[in-house]
Amino acid sequence: MSQPSTFTALLVEEQDDKTFSKHIVQRSISDLPDNDLLIEVHYSSLNYKDAMSASGNKRISQHFPHTPGIDAAGIVISDKSGTFNAGDEVLVFGYDLGMNTPGGLGQVISIPADWAVACPESLSLKEAMTYGTGGLTAALCIQKLEQMGAKPSDGTVAITGATGGVGTISIALLKQLGYEAIAFSGKPEQSDKLKALGASEILHRDSLLEVKDALAGKPTWAHAIDTLGGDYLTGLLKQLKPGGGVASVGLAASADIAMSVIPFITRGISLLGVDSVYIPLEDKKHIWQRVATDMKLPNLDSYQQEITLSQTPEYLDKFLQGKVVGRYVVNVKEA
């Protein structure tokens, strides 16, 4: 595969008045860092972290101008390390991609070779990005609960942020693996869609706040996956059945929790942190293989909306406006 001299990318720039703008521009290969692995990106996907980076959040991206995109699926152009061959299909998610290293919302990326994994043969590049970081995080949450000992016969699994990327894939994966899922959402108009994904019941997320001032609530669900944090997470923890666990992966509501240790002691519950960014490469390879086998969902196209690179500024804004539903796959070659 020949190396291009220029490529199209989303570029976020800091203005003199400290605001940030985002535009689709032409960039030079020389603008990329000098890493071993050069990849032609075919697909990416949108995540909340991309929206924060694109808005100039310097906890995510410190240096601008910058190209976000924490996910990428594409074809190897060249690899100075010898790990991959030109033409290999590879996947990248996590590490520093799209944070301070130019990310997958550009048609070419340059990364260390040990950030990439081979795309499983049973997944297309687009299917892989239908999962992306959101879907992989959902798979990691379920796997973390399984490692704790969770099984379908334990009872229902509660999911917060149910209409988001992690939430929608979590519901579908849990159903496929034989679990019953209860969805908590602040978007009641999406109830029919959540039921179609496999949720047995839809509850308003604010119902979790009813136990805010109690030391513990009535044991209600066996396990949970939380993307919100704050009082929503404490509401889940306070209503876990004995021996249950919550996989925690988000802080859309708050990064803080405040509660008594009593439910942990009297019910033996667990709070399980799930990292999808810096987990070892072998663990990433393993979870991708599960996504390509027992966690591969049928009719994957129904879980995503495909958009072009030129549409990403509009859709990144939707994340910050709370208007996101499901997964957004970016056809990066369609500038």
Side-chain angles (χ1 to χ4, degrees):
M1 179 177 293
S2 61
Q3 178 174 312
S5 58
T6 62
F7 63 96
T8 306
L10 174 71
L11 192 68
V12 180
E13 297 181 280
E14 186 171 8
Q15 307 302 309
D16 292 340
D17 61 359
K18 303 303 180 183
T19 61
F20 292 82
S21 63
K22 45 189 180 289
H23 305 282
I24 304 301
V25 301
Q26 286 294 117
R27 303 211 74 189
S28 170
I29 291 294
S30 61
D31 293 330
L32 295 174
D34 183 20
N35 289 313
D36 284 339
L37 185 58
L38 197 66
I39 299 170
E40 178 187 78
V41 180
H42 287 210
Y43 291 96
S44 184
S45 70
L46 298 187
N47 300 277
Y48 190 74
K49 188 178 284 186
D50 299 320
M52 290 193 290
S53 174
S55 69
N57 187 316
K58 294 196 175 181
R59 291 180 300 152
I60 305 299
S61 300
Q62 287 78 43
H63 307 292
F64 295 86
H66 173 63
T67 294
I70 62 173
D71 294 335
I75 306 294
V76 172
I77 297 172
S78 62
D79 182 9
K80 291 182 286 189
S81 76
T83 305
F84 298 99
N85 297 313
D88 285 351
E89 294 190 348
V90 293
L91 311 174
V92 190
F93 75 104
Y95 303 110
D96 191 52
L97 184 73
M99 296 176 69
N100 292 294
T101 300
L105 296 181
Q107 292 176 334
V108 181
I109 58 174
S110 175
I111 61 169
D114 60 4
W115 287 8
V117 299
C119 183
E121 290 185 4
S122 59
L123 281 179
S124 69
L125 294 177
K126 182 179 178 180
E127 287 176 332
M129 285 299 100
T130 298
Y131 289 92
T133 290
L136 262 290
T137 301
L140 286 166
C141 287
I142 295 170
Q143 180 171 266
K144 194 69 171 276
L145 290 170
E146 290 174 339
Q147 290 169 344
M148 188 200 70
K151 53 190 182 300
S153 60
D154 293 343
T156 54
V157 181
I159 301 166
T160 63
T163 60
V166 175
T168 54
I169 300 296
S170 292
I171 293 169
L173 287 176
L174 286 166
K175 180 183 179 182
Q176 177 157 306
L177 295 172
Y179 292 84
E180 180 184 354
I182 294 178
F184 285 89
S185 173
K187 301 171 182 173
E189 70 277 8
Q190 297 295 328
S191 293
D192 288 344
K193 180 172 182 177
L194 293 174
K195 288 182 178 179
L197 287 170
S200 63
E201 186 176 5
I202 317 299
L203 299 175
H204 198 283
R205 66 184 183 183
D206 287 350
S207 64
L208 289 168
L209 305 180
E210 294 172 1
V211 296
K212 180 178 178 181
D213 297 323
L215 292 177
K218 178 182 178 182
T220 305
W221 36 80
H223 308 289
I225 295 172
D226 177 63
T227 68
L228 300 180
D231 292 336
Y232 297 102
L233 175 54
T234 61
L236 288 172
L237 288 164
K238 290 177 181 181
Q239 296 176 83
L240 277 182
K241 293 180 179 179
V246 176
S248 171
V249 294
L251 41 76
S254 173
D256 301 319
I257 59 171
M259 63 180 291
S260 164
V261 299
I262 286 177
F264 294 92
I265 296 171
T266 61
R267 295 179 182 171
I269 63 171
S270 299
L271 176 58
L272 309 169
V274 176
D275 167 41
S276 64
V277 179
Y278 294 108
I279 61 173
L281 192 63
E282 287 304 311
D283 292 345
K284 290 189 177 184
K285 291 178 180 177
H286 173 74
I287 197 64
W288 272 115
Q289 287 302 323
R290 287 204 65 185
V291 165
T293 53
D294 67 309
M295 287 187 174
K296 185 176 183 182
L297 296 167
N299 304 314
L300 270 171
D301 263 354
S302 65
Y303 296 95
Q304 58 83 32
Q305 178 181 341
E306 182 176 325
I307 63 173
T308 64
L309 190 57
S310 62
Q311 291 177 286
T312 55
E314 170 194 353
Y315 279 81
L316 287 166
D317 288 342
K318 290 179 183 289
F319 280 81
L320 302 180
Q321 296 163 359
K323 296 179 180 179
V324 168
V325 178
R327 298 282 298 145
Y328 300 97
V329 172
V330 183
N331 185 338
V332 180
K333 291 177 71 65
E334 284 288 330

